[in-house]
Amino acid sequence: MSVIETRNLNYTYSPGTPFRRDAIKDISIKIDNGDFIGIIGHTGSGKSTLVQHLNGLLRPASGQVFLNGKDIWEHPKKIREVRFQVGLVFQYPEHQLFEETSYKDIAFGPSNMGLDADEIDARVRRAAKFVGLREELLQKSPFELSGGEKRRVAIAGVMAMQPQVLILDEPTAGLDPKGRDTILGQIKEYQQENGSTVIVVSHSMEDIARCAKKVLVMNRGRIEMFDQTPAVFSRADELGAIGLSVPAVTRIFMILRARGYDVGDNVYTVEQARDRLLPLLKKGGDA
Amino acid sequence: MNIISANDVRFYYETEEEAGGRPLLVLDDIRLDIERGEFVALLGHNGSGKSTLAKHFNAMLLPSGGRVLVSGMDTKDEKLRYEIRRMVGMVLQNPDNQLVSTIVEEDVAFGPENLGVSPKEIRRRVDEALKTVGMLEYSDHAPHKLSGGQKQRVAIAGILAMRPDCIVLDEPTAMLDPQGRKEVLETVFRLNKEQGITVVLITHYMEEAVLADRVLVMEEGRILIQGTPREVFSRVDELRGVELDVPQPTELCHELRMQGVPLPEGILTAEECAQALSMFLEAAHVGH
């Protein structure tokens, strides 16, 4: 069954003013339990607007959002509970840390859920472990931490609510290559261990290729593609036309195919490229 | 001729008493000359000292030991500071932190106004700078309504209006989407090639570093590797050792070389990589 479903979702910023802008148009998607979804699209394509509908931060102008088959706006007063079940990590979430210690910051979400102290403690420590925060950092002020560590505290704060669906809006923006790999690896591990549904919004095709099973491509507020990752990446020309680019190795394979070499497609990481090319190249060596 | 020379530059941050009170060494004997008109990319993971070094280039930081000369002027000389900052402009990572005005053209005029340039000349410079970065049609817009890439180009225009010799950009594209990154990079590249402005670009994106004349890799406050992009990116293992990526085509060739396929070193782009692979695939009679 779909954990999240949207039907004909529309949203307009500043309606009734000269600044009126349609942010998303007619979005209907189904996301299955345990899926790992990547959302890509250029700035202004509606990615962030869409994910803010999935946990009820924005209320659709028209259309519906279903969580486990129930319309999340059926009882508007209960929307808070939806936010516990669908956790959203914003862009640059470290700007929103506010507590005296990292521990308290991570505990903020679970405390609001009305859990008892032991359960909160267990969840904070578990979440901290997932994002690789050392025990001694928990008692430090978040403002004493490095940028990458702060980001991890912020992500742990949402993980500690153990949401059924975890959404991260550009979790790797502004990090160096090592920080990027670490955070993506941790999100992947979290997803595998908990079997929860994860949605990652990113500009980086490489990041998406590395972690997502399915990719949703947004363009001008609409869904351009929504399919398995290999199927989306095989449409490089169309992606290029809407200002997105495929990973460099994917382009290498496209050039080789265009030149008539039968190297196959669906390659988007260096490892895949190497494993595909080696047998072909070795064959020549043996001949 | 050198526009920037760092001579045995050391830099310490003073730490608090509770942390032991020992000064933290961030730059360790940096020796570096940057030539006029050069395009230098500065790489290194967070904390390697690259931003600290860049801040020495326009006297935002002063060395604890050694000297930094900007076109022969010592950055420690307070009387020269204005001239040094006019000559070397700086663009930072977050576009929202460096625009000061509510109208684009006023923002660009801020620098030359502070330099005491005449109003007529300011008008000329502002229009020219906005034209150069392709933002002239936005001159009466509000900066906060622009995209990230547009904001960064306005920030660059603000520096151009001061007629700099050198622009230092500290991860100017880190917060931008691919389109914005492209806009900013193309602008910077053009300024370097067409106007001969020296560029120092700090970046985490290897495909941006590939555009530079020279790549410097920093690690623990020292310059670990330097050379042309081809030379530097052929040292894949060393780069990985300091937690940096190499461009995907370079990495693929390296991986295949490790498995005994004698591909050439120094391949940077998808096109070069496909060309090299074609020759080997041809020899292996694949698909022909």
Side-chain angles (χ1 to χ4, degrees):
Chain A
M1 196 183 91
S2 306
V3 50
I4 285 184
E5 185 183 347
T6 71
R7 278 187 212 152
N8 309 108
L9 215 55
N10 287 287
Y11 189 79
T12 306
Y13 284 108
S14 313
T17 77
F19 303 108
R20 178 202 148 88
R21 191 167 64 85
D22 289 334
I24 52 173
K25 281 180 265 180
D26 205 24
I27 304 280
S28 299
I29 47 169
K30 284 182 184 175
I31 294 171
D32 289 333
N33 207 7
D35 261 352
F36 197 133
I37 311 255
I39 302 186
I40 47 173
H42 55 79
T43 302
S45 61
K47 313 182 292 280
S48 297
T49 307
L50 172 61
V51 295
Q52 286 175 37
H53 278 85
L54 304 184
N55 78 339
L57 267 185
L58 291 178
R59 192 170 179 170
S62 66
Q64 290 163 296
V65 180
F66 296 89
L67 176 64
N68 297 314
K70 277 174 122 169
D71 186 338
I72 63 169
W73 289 103
E74 194 183 328
H75 303 290
K77 284 191 179 137
K78 288 189 179 165
I79 199 71
R80 217 166 105 95
E81 277 161 38
V82 171
R83 298 192 184 134
F84 295 144
Q85 289 171 60
V86 182
L88 174 59
V89 182
F90 284 102
Q91 288 177 30
Y92 296 96
E94 60 274 23
H95 295 168
Q96 298 167 47
L97 300 173
F98 65 98
E99 279 283 13
E100 290 161 30
T101 66
S102 307
Y103 183 96
K104 283 189 190 168
D105 221 299
I106 300 172
F108 182 75
S111 308
N112 280 340
M113 296 170 76
L115 302 169
D116 66 56
D118 285 350
E119 174 67 14
I120 293 172
D121 184 67
R123 285 186 174 207
V124 170
R125 291 184 192 284
R126 193 154 173 268
K129 218 176 108 230
F130 263 119
V131 296
L133 279 174
R134 297 191 311 277
E135 191 84 2
E136 67 261 30
L137 293 185
L138 290 178
Q139 293 314 322
K140 278 197 171 183
S141 157
F143 304 104
E144 287 174 51
L145 307 181
S146 76
E149 286 165 346
K150 279 188 212 167
R151 172 103 29 121
R152 285 187 254 165
V153 169
I155 294 175
V158 177
M159 283 181 174
M161 298 198 294
Q162 299 185 359
Q164 196 184 355
V165 181
L166 176 67
I167 306 176
L168 302 107
D169 195 351
E170 306 233 18
T172 63
L175 296 180
D176 66 359
K178 171 84 183 309
R180 216 167 58 209
D181 286 351
T182 311
I183 286 197
L184 277 185
Q186 284 154 350
I187 294 168
K188 226 165 137 178
E189 206 172 296
Y190 169 89
Q191 198 258 352
Q192 282 163 357
E193 209 158 301
N194 294 284
S196 38
T197 310
V198 174
I199 301 174
V200 171
V201 177
S202 179
H203 284 313
S204 162
M205 296 291 236
E206 280 81 1
D207 285 1
I208 297 252
R210 224 178 300 172
C211 63
K213 289 202 192 84
K214 287 181 86 177
V215 180
L216 174 71
V217 182
M218 301 271 305
N219 185 34
R220 294 164 179 253
R222 292 182 188 275
I223 297 174
E224 190 80 19
M225 307 176 198
F226 185 33
D227 208 337
Q228 304 291 324
T229 307
V232 169
F233 278 76
S234 67
R235 296 162 70 179
D237 291 343
E238 289 163 75
L239 291 170
I242 57 170
L244 298 170
S245 56
V246 295
V249 284
T250 309
R251 212 161 63 241
I252 293 171
F253 272 65
M254 288 168 58
I255 298 172
L256 291 174
R257 279 201 309 280
R259 291 183 176 197
Y261 298 105
D262 187 14
V263 288
D265 51 10
N266 295 345
V267 170
Y268 32 83
T269 67
V270 170
E271 290 70 32
Q272 289 170 333
R274 179 195 61 200
D275 295 344
R276 181 74 60 81
L277 286 169
L278 266 184
L280 296 173
L281 293 166
K282 282 279 158 77
K283 200 174 71 185
D286 298 339
Chain B
M1 193 190 135
N2 294 328
I3 179 140
I4 293 168
S5 304
N7 301 319
D8 306 316
V9 169
R10 294 168 77 80
F11 184 79
Y12 304 98
Y13 278 113
E14 299 296 334
T15 53
E16 287 173 40
E17 285 302 318
E18 57 193 277
R22 291 205 1 221
L24 182 71
L25 185 63
V26 188
L27 296 179
D28 189 3
D29 277 332
I30 299 279
R31 250 162 277 169
L32 171 67
D33 290 317
I34 296 174
E35 266 184 60
R36 241 169 223 288
E38 212 182 347
F39 186 152
V40 177
L42 202 49
L43 304 179
H45 62 76
N46 290 345
S48 61
K50 50 192 192 324
S51 293
T52 306
L53 178 60
K55 285 182 184 140
H56 278 77
F57 295 161
N58 74 343
M60 269 164 79
L61 290 175
L62 299 175
S64 315
R67 289 201 307 174
V68 175
L69 300 178
V70 174
S71 201
M73 297 181 285
D74 193 325
T75 57
K76 280 185 182 160
D77 189 337
E78 240 173 282
K79 294 193 296 294
L80 299 173
R81 204 151 291 162
Y82 259 80
E83 180 55 13
I84 288 171
R85 295 208 175 130
R86 184 204 61 79
M87 198 175 265
V88 182
M90 195 128 180
V91 177
L92 305 174
Q93 185 186 104
N94 190 338
D96 293 320
N97 288 350
Q98 45 194 337
L99 300 182
V100 291
S101 176
T102 52
I103 298 173
V104 165
E105 61 179 11
E106 285 182 6
D107 204 281
V108 177
F110 183 78
E113 268 171 9
N114 279 330
L115 292 175
V117 175
S118 72
K120 215 171 138 195
E121 172 69 7
I122 291 177
R123 178 79 261 164
R124 221 166 59 81
R125 289 194 187 186
V126 168
D127 289 349
E128 194 183 290
L130 282 170
K131 198 171 156 212
T132 307
V133 300
M135 290 294 292
L136 188 58
E137 55 185 304
Y138 291 89
S139 47
D140 57 353
H141 283 229
H144 72 274
K145 296 244 173 174
L146 302 177
S147 74
Q150 290 172 330
K151 284 180 194 169
Q152 286 297 53
R153 285 188 285 153
V154 171
I156 293 172
I159 286 166
L160 287 178
M162 294 196 284
R163 298 276 158 86
D165 296 68
C166 175
I167 300 184
V168 178
L169 305 105
D170 192 352
E171 294 188 44
T173 61
M175 298 175 85
L176 306 184
D177 69 351
Q179 179 60 33
R181 272 168 57 192
K182 202 167 149 242
E183 290 168 9
V184 171
L185 248 285
E186 282 174 0
T187 304
V188 170
F189 193 71
R190 212 154 29 78
L191 289 175
N192 176 255
K193 294 294 166 257
E194 291 172 10
Q195 306 199 6
I197 294 176
T198 312
V199 171
V200 179
L201 175 70
I202 299 180
T203 183
H204 286 313
Y205 293 108
M206 303 305 145
E207 63 270 29
E208 294 180 0
V210 163
L211 298 172
D213 298 320
R214 180 159 54 135
V215 176
L216 305 172
V217 179
M218 289 194 66
E219 169 72 4
E220 292 186 351
R222 290 168 172 273
I223 294 171
L224 187 71
I225 312 174
Q226 61 171 310
T228 63
R230 262 176 228 291
E231 287 163 0
V232 170
F233 287 121
S234 60
R235 295 161 79 167
V236 175
D237 291 327
E238 278 169 88
L239 290 172
R240 284 200 190 138
V242 294
E243 297 167 358
L244 289 177
D245 280 346
V246 292
Q248 275 195 341
T250 314
E251 192 182 352
L252 176 59
C253 291
H254 177 78
E255 291 282 319
L256 291 171
R257 256 198 320 276
M258 302 280 282
Q259 301 292 325
V261 182
L263 286 159
E265 285 194 11
I267 280 177
L268 297 175
T269 67
E271 288 68 25
E272 290 170 1
C273 182
Q275 178 63 32
L277 283 169
S278 297
M279 287 159 60
F280 283 88
L281 289 167
E282 194 63 41
H285 310 291
V286 175
H288 266 314

